[in-house]
Amino acid sequence: MFLYYLPLLFAIASTDEVTTLPKDWNLTSLEERLTKLEQTTERRLNTTEKVLGQLLTGRSDTELSSIDVLAIRSGILIKQSDPVLFSAYKYSTTNDISSQAIIRFEKTYINIGGHYHTEDGIFIAPTTGIYMFHWTIVTGGSDFHTQLIVGGTARASSYVPFPGGSDSSSAMVIISVNKDDHVWIQIYGSIEHVYGGWIGVGSYKQSTFTGILIKTK
């Protein structure tokens, strides 16, 4: 796109309007004329830099001086964006969770962008990309499985063995996720309970769910 606009920009820069002074300035001193010409040229160059920055990035608030030179040389423009990540945890124990029910992690340590929803335990991907997800389930019931569901399809699972007492099981996966895909953790098996707990000394029965965007597509 940048190359498309280059002829137009050079044409503008080479017109008499840029290189000459208006006749009605009526300046007699050579020094005055040079000063005015310098001021006009600087002002128009600043405008040109701003226009180029906007053309290269597609953002109205970007100037040419703020763009990574190496990115321009390689033909890849680096567009800064807010990170996408969340880390949620169960605050209270939930009993009698039926098979294929969503595990709701009611509170978050961090939730940049607000894409994880504590009211239903679902993360909604704001953009297509490569994501990393990690979850830990603490329980004291019989053995069962948990599954990572992405867009209604199971994409990963974790086996929670029969602990005899309280125990936990964790899993991590790096996968492709499409924009607006709904992502959650669900139980697959018999009716179970999942432990939760507050943040603080002595609280060890805490189930968690974490996700982060690694790279956009």
Side-chain angles (χ1 to χ4, degrees):
M1 183 176 67
F2 171 59
L3 295 177
Y4 175 82
Y5 286 100
L6 272 180
L8 175 61
L9 292 170
F10 281 122
I12 294 173
S14 62
T15 60
D16 290 339
E17 293 183 358
V18 176
T19 58
T20 62
L21 297 174
K23 294 179 180 179
D24 57 2
W25 278 6
N26 194 26
L27 301 174
T28 57
S29 167
L30 177 60
E31 184 178 354
E32 288 179 341
R33 292 178 63 83
L34 289 175
T35 300
K36 280 291 186 180
L37 181 59
E38 182 181 6
Q39 292 173 349
T40 301
T41 302
E42 183 178 0
R43 184 175 65 253
R44 292 181 178 177
L45 282 175
N46 288 338
T47 301
T48 302
E49 286 189 354
K50 188 171 184 179
V51 171
L52 281 172
Q54 294 170 0
L55 288 173
L56 287 168
T57 64
R59 297 176 56 180
S60 61
D61 59 346
T62 302
E63 295 186 4
L64 190 63
S65 58
S66 66
I67 299 176
D68 189 332
V69 176
L70 292 178
I72 297 176
R73 290 181 61 186
S74 63
I76 302 172
L77 296 178
I78 300 174
K79 182 178 179 181
Q80 299 296 327
S81 59
D82 292 333
V84 177
L85 62 94
F86 72 93
S87 184
Y89 65 95
K90 278 198 69 60
Y91 182 74
S92 58
T93 297
T94 303
N95 297 309
D96 300 327
I97 302 178
S98 60
S99 181
Q100 298 185 356
I102 297 173
I103 302 175
R104 187 168 73 92
F105 303 83
E106 306 98 329
K107 293 185 179 292
T108 59
Y109 296 106
I110 191 170
N111 189 18
I112 296 180
H115 304 295
Y116 174 79
H117 300 273
T118 56
E119 65 272 17
D120 55 17
I122 295 175
F123 168 75
I124 302 177
T127 184
T128 299
I130 307 298
Y131 288 77
M132 185 277 289
F133 295 101
H134 179 278
W135 68 102
T136 296
I137 300 299
V138 183
T139 186
S142 62
D143 59 335
F144 61 94
H145 291 81
T146 57
Q147 295 179 320
L148 177 75
I149 307 297
V150 179
T153 302
R155 299 289 299 277
S157 64
S158 173
Y159 175 63
V160 182
F162 176 67
S166 298
D167 207 344
S168 66
S169 180
S170 301
M172 185 188 76
V173 64
I174 298 175
I175 56 173
S176 296
V177 177
N178 294 322
K179 184 179 186 297
D180 295 328
D181 272 352
H182 287 45
V183 182
W184 68 84
I185 303 296
Q186 74 177 24
I187 282 183
Y188 184 79
S190 59
I191 296 176
E192 301 296 342
H193 62 273
V194 176
Y195 286 135
W198 69 93
I199 300 174
V201 177
S203 176
Y204 61 94
K205 295 181 179 180
Q206 197 169 79
S207 301
T208 61
F209 179 33
T210 300
I212 183 170
L213 172 63
I214 298 175
K215 181 181 180 182
T216 58
K217 284 188 174 181

